[in-house]
Amino acid sequence: FLNIKDPGIVAVNGAGAQSGHRLLIALVQFNPTYQPGSALKKLTNEKALHPDLERIFIGYELYKHQEEAIRLGASGKEFIVTSGTGSGKSLTYMATIFSHILNNREEVKDKNLAVIVYPMNALINSQNEEIKKYERNYLKSSLPRGITYDEHNKTLDEQIKDLKEIVGDNFPIEYAQYTGQEDEQNAAVIRKNPPHILLTNYMMLELI
């Protein structure tokens, strides 16, 4: 069933056929992409989003469904996003929440504004790491001109700690995760100083 033209492959495949092994048939698949949307800068220029989001979501290109959802959220309207894995669903609500916090810094101080519920703790851990990357982006954008930071072989937590010391600034968005697996000390810190964003699971929400 194979019509191979390359002599080298024919030789290997012929020898393999005699020993009972053959090359696998090539699998060709189409990978559909999503319709592109406007650049994030366009939304900040239109004042649909806070300008600091450009420092947080560095290097992110929006799809059309993301732009539409973010515009709805930023205008105070509800939205539901149903799209495939890797299509940036999380970014739609994160950008909306971040923009609201940045636009109302004084009013939202020491207040929990968003509870994001996930079905699995693995998703909470993953999203928490993504927010850490956003925090790192923000801090790196605050580096004085001419100063670079080498993040090689350093964890995200170490990078954030180093950058805070260098720039003398903090990420204006407070976040924490609580899955029920944290110790009482962490739980007490969250109760005493509620973060803007709390990542949790449906079981914790049910207990609340």
Side-chain angles (χ1 to χ4, degrees):
F1 299 98
L2 293 176
N3 182 19
I4 301 173
K5 295 182 178 180
D6 185 281
I9 297 178
V10 169
V12 172
N13 200 46
Q18 294 175 5
S19 61
H21 298 284
R22 290 185 67 85
L23 294 176
L24 294 174
I25 297 173
L27 175 64
V28 179
Q29 293 179 317
F30 289 100
N31 184 21
T33 187
Y34 298 94
Q35 188 172 347
S38 299
L40 188 68
K41 189 171 184 63
K42 182 180 178 183
L43 275 68
T44 57
N45 286 343
E46 293 174 3
K47 298 191 178 356
L49 292 175
H50 193 280
D52 277 356
L53 287 190
E54 290 182 50
R55 301 169 58 191
I56 295 172
F57 298 113
I58 296 172
Y60 285 80
E61 297 292 334
L62 296 179
Y63 294 124
K64 185 179 179 183
H65 66 271
Q66 290 177 305
E67 179 190 351
E68 291 174 346
I70 290 170
R71 285 186 182 278
L72 286 170
S75 64
K77 296 178 181 177
E78 298 175 352
F79 64 86
I80 296 174
V81 180
T82 57
S83 58
T85 301
S87 62
K89 293 185 291 292
S90 300
L91 182 66
T92 60
Y93 56 80
M94 282 299 175
T96 301
I97 296 167
F98 284 8
S99 186
H100 178 75
I101 293 169
L102 293 169
N103 281 322
N104 303 275
R105 292 195 193 191
E106 290 304 315
E107 293 86 342
V108 302
K109 193 174 182 181
D110 300 323
K111 291 181 181 178
N112 177 236
L113 298 178
V115 177
I116 304 178
V117 184
Y118 294 90
M120 295 185 296
N121 289 346
L123 296 174
I124 297 173
N125 296 333
S126 175
Q127 189 61 71
N128 195 52
E129 288 299 299
E130 284 301 306
I131 300 179
K132 286 180 182 178
K133 292 177 185 176
Y134 300 148
E135 180 174 7
R136 179 192 60 191
N137 290 347
Y138 179 87
L139 294 170
K140 283 182 74 174
S141 71
S142 301
L143 284 170
R145 185 172 295 179
I147 294 180
T148 58
Y149 173 70
D150 182 12
E151 59 192 43
H152 189 61
N153 290 332
K154 293 187 178 181
T155 66
L156 271 173
D157 289 330
E158 290 170 340
Q159 293 173 40
I160 290 170
K161 182 176 181 294
D162 291 345
L163 287 166
K164 281 181 177 178
E165 292 176 356
I166 294 170
V167 302
D169 192 10
N170 287 317
F171 191 43
I173 298 164
E174 298 169 3
Y175 59 97
Q177 69 174 60
Y178 190 77
T179 64
Q181 297 177 336
E182 294 79 8
D183 57 34
E184 179 55 32
Q185 185 177 357
N186 284 339
V189 170
I190 292 173
R191 283 194 295 266
K192 186 176 180 181
N193 301 297
H196 295 131
I197 300 171
L198 180 65
L199 309 174
T200 189
N201 56 43
Y202 69 92
M203 185 61 72
M204 294 299 102
L205 196 65
E206 190 173 288
L207 288 173
I208 291 172

